[in-house]
Amino acid sequence: MRWCAGRYGAAGSDRRPAGGRPVPGLDDTWTCGWPAERISQTGDGRAAMAVIGECGADKARLEDALPAVRARDWRALTRWPGSYLVIARSGETVAVIGDLAGQHPVYYRTDTTGMWWSTSASALAALDGAPVDATALAARLAFGQPDVLADRSLWRGVRRVPGGHLLLLSPNGAVVERYEPVSYPEADLHEQAPVVRAALTEAVAARTDDRPVSADLAGLDSTTLACLAAQRGPVAAVTFADERLRDDDLAYATRTAATVPGLTHHTVPGTVGTVYYAGLDDLSDLPLTDAPNAYVVTASIKRAVLDTVAENTPGRGVHFTGSAGDAVLSAPSSCLADLLREGRHRHAWQHALSHARLRHTSPLQLLGRVRPASQVDLRAAWAQTAAELRGPARDWIPQAQRPLAWTPLLASADWMTPDVRGMLATAVEEAAEAVSDAPARLADWSVRQDLTRVGTDTTGWRTLTLAWHGIDLAAPFLDNEVIRACLTVPADQRGAPSTYKPLLDAAFTGSGVVPEFVLARTTKGGFNALSYAGLRDNAPVLKDLLGPSSRLATLGLVTEQPVADALARAAAGQPTAQGALHLVVAAEVWLRQHAAAPAVWWEEVSGRVAAV
């Protein structure tokens, strides 16, 4: 696992990260697992800065940013292409700045020697063996929105820097400060389209160096990245093509590869074992991740794709994925609530007609579902959520049939014990009281939460790709500048009723980069068939994971009967709470991994005992 850490304080410490590499120019700062070519540093004595990750700024551009460091213009240090962590020192102040999507999260805590920060919450917990924070883990399972309990990590006593914020360390202590606005000044879609194209082009260029390049070639988002990468050199393009999926990904991929020079296409056929939840009877082949990793559920599918990449590229390379494209290029149905709130009823009706056709429902039913969320703000919505948690567990119905909410309760919330639900309700009430800079629009809130969730999951996926084949995963739609470029376009324009992903269409139509037939595509593949096949085929393993011996059950985060009911529905081929099962399985695997083989995070200094 790649991570970074640092200490701020006058007193010496008896520990440092195990195998950590000191960062020149920044005292008591280390990188772990990061290759030297992904670490850049500059400084002039009065100011210093290190950038860790995939960054498109060369040495000269970093040196040009030193005046911004001295002026403490921290946001200016987040504007380069790529995805990276910044550590900057100006005088006695140190700023630790993660990215907008949580691929480089920042955590912190204090001990007797000063303040520690890290991109790994697990490492900071290991300083004194801090336990899992059951309430924070409950929030992760019940909501799927990382910023509800804004500064609570999954480990007790380890604080989390929320999205869009940075950590400032000075002799006066640790302060968390917002560097990103809650919402962006609005720009018209067609005016912003060239900005989006430029941001994506630079994001891809930041990763295409002398490494072999591969890319998913499936939906519109991944195909766009593959085409951009092919402009810079050869790309091994891969399509997972399981006949059970019955989609048209392969047909579009084959046609794209025949049209775009530089793309060499490889098909990854599905097998009996490439289904959800395969291989969870033996966790030894799954590397430890800092947070529950959603991709352990689909690991067999991801590994089949990576095996094909490894077989068809000359060494360890970089693999592009379209993750988060849906979040930044489309708009959730929650934008309907915003249109109603703002009195834009005709516009809301046009959107409702389009959404209703896609969901095979009526526009009146859809508007009725979103109307309650249009009548409250985030603080009031969380008060309602807390009240719901204090009530009885609900019978399961599909999430799409429930009223829209700022922070919807997932089915997993109904699998928790009453005591845990009560603790979570109290935490949500406290969070509601502390809200000070909530967005006015539900769509703005929802998209930011989706991006952070996808960013965390993608970091876990990257850990898998590095452990299995040494391949680095690139997800340009999660880059700061791509997010900013896309979200400057209002949600109702990104989700315009007449066009599928109109922002991407406007950005690349006529550019010669992406074939026109790809941009005209209106279909999207899905993995439901493999999810249900995996639930059926691996039911005994899942029953064991989530049964009486479950670590989640010990914490009160699942109870046996509702989980058994959900698995029984899946085995019978009936609709079930797939998303909730996905979350709890990932969390159970994570808890078991941390309990079974704790990583050695720290090593001793001056002969003292190391923390593990």
Side-chain angles (χ1 to χ4, degrees), residues 139-220:
R140 181 186 179 92
L141 299 180
F143 308 136
Q145 293 186 342
D147 286 335
V148 177
L149 305 188
D151 68 343
R152 289 178 75 160
S153 80
L154 295 179
W155 300 95
R156 197 177 301 166
V158 177
R159 314 314 295 178
R160 169 182 175 268
V161 177
H165 293 70
L166 56 85
L167 178 65
L168 283 180
L169 301 171
S170 74
N172 295 324
V175 176
V176 173
E177 180 179 290
R178 176 175 284 280
Y179 72 86
E180 194 71 3
V182 174
S183 57
Y184 297 112
E186 295 183 359
D188 178 76
L189 180 145
H190 292 285
E191 294 177 357
Q192 191 68 4
V195 181
V196 171
R197 182 173 67 247
L200 279 171
T201 301
E202 291 180 339
V204 171
R207 277 92 168 183
T208 47
D209 41 31
D210 57 352
R211 292 174 291 179
V213 176
S214 59
D216 292 333
L217 192 62
L220 181 54

Side-chain angles (χ1 to χ4, degrees), residues 265-454:
H265 189 219
H266 307 279
T267 301
V268 184
T271 66
V272 173
T274 51
V275 294
Y276 282 40
Y277 306 104
L280 296 184
D281 53 335
D282 180 9
L283 304 182
S284 61
D285 195 38
L286 292 171
L288 188 70
T289 54
D290 194 53
N293 175 15
Y295 288 100
V296 302
V297 172
T298 56
S300 65
I301 299 170
K302 298 303 181 188
R303 185 153 196 173
V305 171
L306 291 169
D307 287 347
T308 299
V309 169
E311 291 166 4
N312 291 280
T313 51
R316 299 181 174 186
V318 59
H319 182 79
F320 285 92
T321 173
S323 288
D326 286 342
V328 296
L329 296 171
S330 303
S333 56
S334 58
C335 77
L336 289 172
D338 296 325
L339 294 174
L340 292 177
R341 178 184 295 105
E342 295 165 3
R344 302 166 65 188
H345 299 294
R346 180 177 297 179
H347 206 31
W349 178 252
Q350 293 171 343
H351 276 263
L353 286 171
S354 176
H355 282 287
R357 281 195 296 269
L358 290 174
R359 291 162 175 77
H360 307 291
T361 186
S362 79
L364 288 175
Q365 285 179 322
L366 185 57
L367 288 171
R369 178 174 169 255
V370 305
R371 190 174 300 278
S374 73
Q375 298 170 337
V376 294
D377 60 10
L378 183 62
R379 177 176 294 190
W382 282 356
Q384 293 175 355
T385 298
E388 195 168 1
L389 282 165
R390 294 192 189 282
R394 310 160 301 177
D395 293 331
W396 181 78
I397 61 171
Q399 196 71 30
Q401 295 179 19
R402 297 192 183 278
L404 189 74
W406 283 76
T407 298
L409 280 180
L410 306 180
S412 38
D414 299 302
W415 301 347
M416 298 173 183
T417 65
D419 286 347
V420 168
R421 287 167 62 92
M423 287 192 300
L424 186 55
T426 298
V428 174
E429 289 167 342
E430 292 171 352
E433 288 298 317
V435 168
S436 60
D437 56 358
R441 288 179 173 171
L442 172 54
D444 290 343
W445 165 260
S446 300
V447 169
R448 295 289 183 95
Q449 297 310 300
D450 286 347
L451 285 170
T452 304
R453 176 180 51 79
V454 174

